[in-house]
Amino acid sequence: MLFYRSALPLSRRTLNLAARTIRAHRARTGSRWRRLDPAAQALLVLVHLYKGEPFTHLAAGFGVDTTTAWRYVRETIRLLAEQAPTLEQGLRRARRKGWAYVIVDGTLIACDRLKADRPFYSGKHKRHGMNIQVVSAPDGQPLWTSWSLPGSVHDTKAARLWKIAERLKTAGLLGLGDKGYIGLADVVFCPFKGRGKPRWKKDANAEHAKLRSPGERAIAQLKQWGILRRPRCCPQQAGQITRAVLVLQLREAG
């Protein structure tokens, strides 16, 4: 096996967050000895999440066996996901910032499934995956991500399951969404549908698209983490991984 030097485009504060989380967990559980110290374990996890490195490569690079690398990654992802903000916390932050609206969008985290596994197949994206809902700020910073649902679940149904509209209304905020959220039009404003629209509707759609476009940037920021391009795990863990990445992304943004 060949070895080479590499780098991650992440800040020291992101590494410190992961290391502190691991250190606190070890102190809480009374773990006395590990093959890697908290900082090394944190770096291993960041390499896996950001670059999507397989466990065999991680194990060789950090001098541990594959099972240990897998266990370290699973443990740290769970600990980080527990720190992810709830939707209420994300919306309270939006209120403190003085934002009048947030952006609601859904994305598909691809996964390897058999063609027969219809619940995971998204007709919109023409592939198998898990539906993740994302609420972001008007400037494109992600505020909250949901747990995962099968890819066949429509965005409107997913939003209803997570009670996004109700929580927006309680927080006194409006949402901007794409045409997939037409069923929530009383709280989540969507563009006008149909052909042959009058000019004023076309202009309204154009302004709506400008305001909503940072939400797509928020999803792109999350998906720059290589693990979210195609997680090597049980599909149901996609939501946990996304929430762990959200915690790191928020820390990276400062």
Side-chain angles (χ1 to χ4, degrees):
M1 183 171 288
L2 300 177
F3 295 87
Y4 65 97
R5 299 184 67 178
S6 185
L8 290 176
L10 300 174
S11 66
R12 176 67 62 172
R13 61 176 175 267
T14 302
L15 176 65
N16 290 341
L17 169 65
R20 284 198 306 271
T21 299
I22 295 166
R23 192 175 295 111
H25 174 70
R26 292 185 183 183
R28 186 168 58 252
T29 57
S31 179
R32 296 185 178 183
W33 183 86
R34 298 283 189 96
R35 289 292 303 274
L36 298 179
D37 61 35
Q41 180 178 338
L43 183 58
L44 179 150
V45 174
L46 291 181
V47 170
H48 177 69
L49 293 179
Y50 196 87
K51 300 185 69 178
E53 294 280 7
F55 293 117
T56 52
H57 295 181
L58 287 175
F62 284 84
V64 296
D65 58 60
T66 304
T67 302
T68 299
W70 177 88
R71 188 172 64 250
Y72 282 169
V73 168
R74 294 275 77 79
E75 174 187 67
T76 309
I77 286 176
R78 177 179 56 81
L79 295 171
L80 290 172
E82 290 172 354
Q83 302 178 42
T86 64
L87 181 53
E88 287 83 359
Q89 290 172 333
L91 296 179
R92 281 200 297 270
R93 183 183 177 196
R95 289 295 302 272
R96 288 197 303 269
K97 293 285 187 178
W99 296 323
Y101 68 92
V102 294
I103 303 166
V104 183
D105 204 353
T107 188
L108 187 81
I109 303 299
C111 67
D112 293 320
R113 291 279 97 182
L114 296 175
K115 187 175 182 181
D117 294 330
R118 300 300 297 177
F120 296 96
Y121 185 77
S122 168
K124 175 182 176 181
H125 297 90
K126 308 300 182 186
R127 62 194 306 187
H128 293 84
M130 302 300 291
N131 180 299
I132 301 289
Q133 295 295 299
V134 180
V135 173
S136 55
D139 62 359
Q141 186 177 83
L143 298 173
W144 171 81
T145 63
S146 71
W147 295 95
S148 54
L149 293 169
S152 60
V153 176
H154 192 272
D155 282 340
T156 298
K157 182 177 179 180
R160 285 175 175 154
L161 288 171
W162 302 121
K163 301 185 184 302
I164 293 177
E166 293 91 328
R167 291 167 178 174
L168 282 172
K169 187 177 295 186
T170 300
L173 292 168
L174 298 176
L176 295 183
D178 59 22
K179 295 176 182 178
Y181 296 93
I182 291 292
L184 306 175
D186 56 332
V187 178
V188 180
F189 285 80
C190 306
F192 293 104
K193 297 179 70 174
R195 297 181 179 180
K197 293 183 290 292
R199 172 55 57 186
W200 70 270
K201 285 189 175 182
K202 293 181 180 179
D203 292 341
N205 281 1
E207 291 300 318
H208 183 279
K210 290 179 183 177
L211 294 174
R212 194 176 58 82
S213 60
E216 298 176 358
R217 188 164 66 245
I219 291 177
Q221 289 174 8
L222 293 172
K223 286 195 172 182
Q224 72 181 350
W225 294 74
I227 190 62
L228 293 181
R229 294 177 191 142
R230 188 177 290 276
R232 297 180 178 90
C233 65
C234 172
Q236 281 77 9
Q237 291 183 333
Q240 187 180 61
I241 293 172
T242 305
R243 291 171 66 80
V245 167
L246 172 65
V247 171
L248 297 172
Q249 182 65 38
L250 290 175
R251 185 60 176 171
E252 188 66 19

